[in-house]
């Protein structure tokens, strides 16, 4: 694929192929229904390993064909350079920028925990797997996400760390010399160490991880470009094609016909067909559900936003939009059982507490801690889980800390609601480090991202009515200070036009 | 101060006061010259502890008076809500957004290491101290920075962690349950644990840390709002005034006259005057320097940008601006010994290698690893160290990961050079996750931040001539693909006007 495209990353796919093969026998997936609620989630945090992702999706029976794979990294193909959610069948979430995928996996595991809380541990039994590399672990977002996973004791999360000791600039040791085992023990993970090319060790580690009572990281030592005849272990395999001759020699070494390209031997395809649980697994799960559970799931999957009783605000009174937003959040939560969220340790200031609804994972108030970036990436995944609508919150000025994940939400059309309060120099006396200036322009310049900055409490309500029905991320930029509730001449429903006439003025006649 | 301002944060300043008092006896500072090269650097990573910062600066003899402190958090005062570099005498760097300060401290320590390499370990003997809290440690940027400090073995770095177990939403344990000791051991730190209100333990820990051969974190258990008569230990002391009655009772408890405000007892001021080493320490250091060292320092402090011999590019040829930029970086490095930098593991793609100049800290190529956010914050501090001009590099799309630190560079007028290559959909086949779209608008909307996107190699040269003489951050947005070197009719020096006539066209006459 990489050679045909004449660009891309062969090293990681070859290095992780052994792990992926063994993992295939553990996954509960139904290629006929990529939205099956109790499927295992698999996140490839290093999106550059896309050649492996597409190969697996093909072998597992998703709608990725050999001709699709010939079109790898070509414009409009199903097989772009980094996997994209909503574009390729079976891709759980858009990763790409390093570290995002680990936080996404933690978010999927959090959503599954809350689903267990609502539906029962016997109903939601799946695991969340994440394949990641050195680059993912070096990014701060992965630290934040793993600290959260350890804190919440997510026993449904299994990270598999492809430790190949190679980065683009050379050996990992030129910039990183951490004791990864100790780091993850500090975060309350179970740590397993294996040879990532030993099938037996891989299998045993996954079996152990599946029954562990806390999150697990499997540190798998691998060779980048495994199987390349002369380049195995070299950083030259990371981001460029191996070359025709190297591929030819490698195929011969592996016992393949070097003249055949884009071929899956019949016995290999057959073996994978047997591994994948498929329709039968989903049907067995469905049959195990009570009628009550089925109805609960249906209600969560189809939230009735029209049932929300929104607050009303008296004309002429002064209401900060963070305060009106607080009333609205609570009104939504009251009507919609799958509506939850929280703040990066600013709930009292952001006014995001869902009153009387308890703390996550037993309740709906998520204490994200001071980890904005992971918060947004985890919330992206929670919104894609299939049952929940999840918001996140911080000061507007700290939206900078989570911008990379807001961008992914826009790219992948994830309907996360971002609550950003203290919207201007009205933040008060904290000074310029806490005053957003360029942020409004910044997010309005981001395609497929919808930034609402309501002028008053009433417009805040109208904005939410629009936002809840959108399939894209939305941001609510709210004031700390009181804003006068304007005279209510406007017609409701006009917010979705983007602009409307609040009050008629004399029209100036231009000559 | 907080009560007078009727807003602000009393809890952290009161909780860290004991540590700060003992630390005062260790610091080598000269309030008469806040630019003394061999002074100890002290970074307050939690900028909300500003009431403590200003109190200390006053006690140490910097230009912060009692009347200045009465104006705490007021418009145009010397004592804003969060400390700002260039605004208040003695403030080493603008912190504020959590986590930045830890990365800044690592940056100062890196700069000191390189200064030792150029000038000798007997010349640069100072330490870098950083006071930080739970919030700083939860942020991913602090993980990235500390991983870097441990990797580089920065034996001149001493973090003091104010562990008060309190965050805004309540007890730290609602969102964080990490083994901090183990985390820092994993990152190759020496970890010391003390009672942060026991003077003897604080002193002994600092003495131990000063002679340690690797970076040190002192975990100091403290009570937030220490000394508050009824609120000590409560999260209510974090971000709001204690109230007149609580302050009155607390003063009585501490043996102060409750009717006196903004008073430093004579004996206390006298004791601090004796602690501070001051002019004598700087003079002794100066006298120890050889003439050669003095000249080296002078040359580093006053780089002669006019001595750079820039490359020239032939009209009509095709040159990617990342390639022309590579030649320019090497031309600058050849002429300016204090010019250094590196990439977040993309040097071969960003084309930032300084050829033949070795690897940091022995040479000038910094391998930052896949840690964009810490890279930018560390580089901010390296640029403020007083000797160096430092650049950082990544793909333009990943500028999102470091935006918070770019913003601080703009606020604090730090002349960091940001190299951002792969500037558009011309990034190639990596797909939309790697294609910058909104980023140009985003950074052009940021005040005091200068974004150059040269049209060709020649304009790239002219842009650098302008950028090197600016006192603000500058970004170079460079192409991956070749760009034609345009016909060279333009007058040099016009780039600094922001726009110029490249080629005359017929002027359209509007009726």
């Amino acid at each position: 694929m990489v050679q045909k495209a004449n660009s891309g990353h062969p090293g990681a796919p070859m290095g992780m192929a052994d792990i992926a093969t063994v993992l295939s026998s553990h996954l509960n997936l139904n290629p006929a229904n990529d939205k099956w609620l109790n499927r295992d989630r698999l996140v490839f945090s290093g999106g550059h390993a896309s050649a492996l992702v597409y190969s697996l999706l093909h072998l597992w029976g998703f709608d990725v064909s050999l001709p699709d794979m010939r079109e790898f990294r070509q414009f409009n193909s199903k097989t772009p350079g980094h996997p994209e959610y909503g574009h390729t069948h079976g891709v759980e979430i858009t990763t790409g920028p390093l570290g995002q995928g680990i936080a996404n996996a933690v978010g999927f595991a959090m959503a599954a925990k809350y689903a267990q809380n609502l539906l029962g541990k016997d109903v939601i039994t799946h695991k969340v797997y994440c394949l990641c590399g050195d680059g993912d672990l070096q990014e701060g977002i992965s630290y934040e996400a793993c600290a959260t996973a350890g804190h919440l004791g997510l026993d449904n999360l299994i990270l598999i760390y492809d430790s190949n000791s190679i980065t683009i600039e050379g050996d990992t040791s030129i910039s990183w010399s951490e004791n990864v085992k100790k780091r993850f023990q500090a975060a309350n993970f179970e740590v397993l160490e294996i040879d990532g090319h030993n099938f037996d060790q891989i299998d045993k580690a996954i079996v152990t991880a599946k029954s562990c009572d806390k999150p697990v990281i499997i540190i798998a030592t691998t060779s980048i470009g495994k199987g390349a005849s002369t380049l195995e272990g070299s950083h030259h395999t990371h981001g460029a094609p191996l070359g025709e001759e190297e591929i030819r020699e490698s195929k011969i070494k592996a016992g393949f016909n070097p003249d055949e390209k884009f071929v899956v031997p019949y016995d290999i395809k057959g073996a994978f067909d047997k591994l994948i649980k498929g329709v039968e697994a989903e049907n067995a799960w469905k049959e195990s559900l009570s009628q009550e559970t089925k109805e609960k799931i249906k209600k969560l999957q189809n939230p009735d936003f029209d049932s929300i009783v929104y607050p009303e605000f008296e004309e002429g009174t002064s209401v900060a939009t963070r305060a009106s937003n607080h009333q609205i959040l609570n009104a939504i939560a009251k009507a919609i059982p799958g509506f939850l969220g929280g703040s990066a340790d600013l709930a009292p200031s952001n006014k995001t507490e869902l009153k009387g609804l308890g703390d996550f994972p037993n309740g709906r108030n998520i204490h994200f801690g001071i980890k904005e970036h992971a918060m947004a990436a985890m919330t992206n995944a929670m919104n894609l889980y299939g049952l929940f609508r999840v918001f996140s919150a911080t000061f507007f000025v700290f939206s900078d800390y989570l911008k990379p994940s807001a961008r992914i939400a826009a790219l992948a059309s994830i309907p996360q609601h971002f609550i950003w309060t203290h919207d201007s120099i009205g933040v008060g006396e904290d000074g310029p480090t806490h005053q957003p200036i360029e942020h409004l322009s910044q997010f309005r310049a981001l395609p497929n991202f919808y930034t609402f900055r309501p002028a008053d409490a009433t417009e805040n309500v109208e904005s939410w009515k629009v936002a809840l029905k959108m399939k894209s991320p939305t941001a609510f930029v709210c004031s700390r200070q009181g804003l006068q509730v304007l005279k209510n001449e406007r017609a409701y429903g006009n917010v979705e036009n983007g602009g409307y006439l609040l009050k008629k003025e004399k029209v100036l006649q231009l000559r």
Side-chain angles (χ1 to χ4, degrees), chain A residues 1-14 44 46-58 64-84 87-88 91 237-242 247 262:
Chain A
M1 291 167 71
V2 175
Q3 190 66 37
K4 172 83 163 49
N6 198 25
S7 81
H9 305 80
M14 295 170 81
F44 288 84
H48 60 276
S50 54
L52 177 65
V53 178
Y54 303 133
S55 302
L56 289 170
L57 291 173
H58 173 74
V64 177
S65 67
L66 289 174
D68 289 328
M69 287 154 76
R70 285 178 181 270
E71 298 299 308
F72 183 56
R73 292 172 73 91
Q74 303 309 303
F75 189 57
N76 272 339
S77 79
K78 274 191 199 167
T79 50
H82 289 72
E84 288 171 51
H87 184 84
T88 308
V91 170
T237 68
H238 169 77
L242 297 179
I247 292 175
F262 294 96

Side-chain angles (χ1 to χ4, degrees), chain A residues 291-332:
Chain A
Q291 194 53 36
E292 193 198 339
T293 299
K294 282 182 188 166
E295 275 160 27
K296 270 191 193 168
I297 292 173
K298 204 173 166 187
K299 195 172 172 190
L300 287 165
Q301 285 174 333
N302 302 286
D304 179 10
F305 296 127
D306 294 328
S307 69
I308 300 164
V309 182
Y310 286 99
E312 288 179 24
F313 298 93
E314 199 183 334
E315 187 187 311
T317 56
S318 175
V319 185
T321 45
R322 65 170 171 159
S324 54
N325 200 65
H326 193 200
Q327 291 189 45
I328 299 165
L329 290 175
N330 277 278
I332 300 169

